[in-house]
Amino acid sequence: MIETRPELKNISDYVPGKSIEEICEQYGLKSAVKLASNENPLGPSPKAQKAFCEMASQLHLYPRGNAPHLISAIAKKFGVNTNQIVLGNGSDEIIDMVGKAFLQPGDECIGIRTTFSVYSATADLYGAKFISVAAGEERPALDLYLQALTPKTRAIFICNPNNPTGFYYSEKELLDFLQKVPQNVLVFLDEAYSEFATAPDYPKLISKLAEFPNLLLNRTFSKIYGLAGLRIGYAFSSPEIIAAIWKVKPPFDVNLPAQAAATAALSDENHIQQSIALTVSGAQFLTENFAKLGFSVLPTQANFICVHIGENCKQLTEFLERNGMIVRYLKSFGLPESIRVTIGKPEENQLLIDLVQKWKEECQLAK
Ligand SMILES: *Cc1c(COP(=O)(O)O)cnc(C)c1O
């Protein structure tokens, strides 16, 4: 038997949301609705689909590793220099590349338990210790992160808005926090859902990058741009951090159709606005209707809601799956009594509410 690196011994497999195919096979269904992985219910922008298809005849060619067209389109859209941008095969790969470039055994990273699990998994993979300063539904004070700083701290991971709870930190809170973090500690701010945030005080930190060279803003084409299946993400930071990440980046990780589709998606303002509008109205609908059924929903700035179901939460998720509705059971996030629901199309949201109501009635009959 070949020995793995010792770091691998403690690493468990990532638990993704269940797929439509899986559920249809398992329960013998013809179709299912998936509100489990925060995908865009509108699908990819028609412009992105067209750009993707146009690449079909060129698939024998290697992509350009430095993706000049996409990088300039991102730079132009967000008003940053091209040397402040890096791409990845999904923003998951950006997290991994940060690990590769900056973490080593003995280092410490700070984060929380009830968030995207890739941060702690990446710390584990590179032998760094992941220090969790909070767990549960509540929004932790940023001071908790500061109190956990030690000379060994290399990175702080904050998801804003947070997956799966939906809370956010305001611009003022984060600027105040960033002032207090030592410059040799990377602040990895995951903004995968930033485009959905409508709160007026939700941070716009791109203009502050020059002030905080240790700040990295992680973004993705998987959520609002509806390109999760293509695997493409991007990040903004100082030229120093970006250069370090390019050094560890596999040369052809961002594929040719992904580059083309992402470039087209960036400019489809109509699709973006439609996606935001659908999310905002859907979140309101779901929150009100879950409340009517007696379940509390956390306030959200993202394209999902976190619903507290109670001790028979697992039973509900199984009932929903049997009926062709996939939501995310949050046990693996440390919330065994809650589910995360991606805001879907109006008819999908309605179907979910109808099913939850039916389940509730069946539970009461059984008593
Ligand atoms: C979905 C998500 C991402 C995006 O991952 P990709 O690899 O870009 O698909 C990143 N961070 C968080 C918190 C997410 O929920």
Side-chain angles (χ1 to χ4, degrees), residues 152-217:
K152 293 180 184 166
T153 310
R154 287 287 279 166
I156 297 176
F157 290 92
I158 297 176
C159 187
N160 196 45
N162 188 49
N163 175 6
T165 52
F167 65 65
Y168 77 105
Y169 295 101
S170 72
E171 174 149 335
K172 184 172 177 310
E173 287 170 315
L174 279 172
L175 288 177
D176 195 46
F177 170 76
L178 286 163
Q179 301 282 359
K180 296 174 186 159
V181 176
Q183 296 270 309
N184 63 346
V185 174
L186 175 74
V187 178
F188 188 100
L189 203 61
D190 194 336
E191 298 192 326
Y193 301 98
S194 58
E195 298 90 348
F196 297 102
T198 51
D201 60 350
Y202 178 80
K204 296 183 181 66
L205 294 178
I206 293 176
S207 61
K208 311 285 178 190
L209 285 167
E211 220 174 305
F212 302 103
N214 57 335
L215 173 65
L216 181 147
L217 305 175

Side-chain angles (χ1 to χ4, degrees), residues 25 28 31 119 186 201 235 272 293 356 363:
E25 259 172 40
S31 67
Y119 316 136
L186 175 74
D201 60 350
I272 296 169
L293 292 171
V356 174
C363 286

Side-chain angles (χ1 to χ4, degrees), residues 38 89-93 95 116 119 159 163 190 192-193 218-223 228 231-233:
N38 305 336
N89 187 271
S91 59
D92 281 355
E93 195 192 35
I95 304 173
F116 197 46
Y119 316 136
C159 187
N163 175 6
D190 194 336
Y193 301 98
N218 188 47
R219 301 282 183 98
T220 182
F221 285 97
S222 296
K223 304 291 157 57
R231 313 303 306 127
I232 176 160

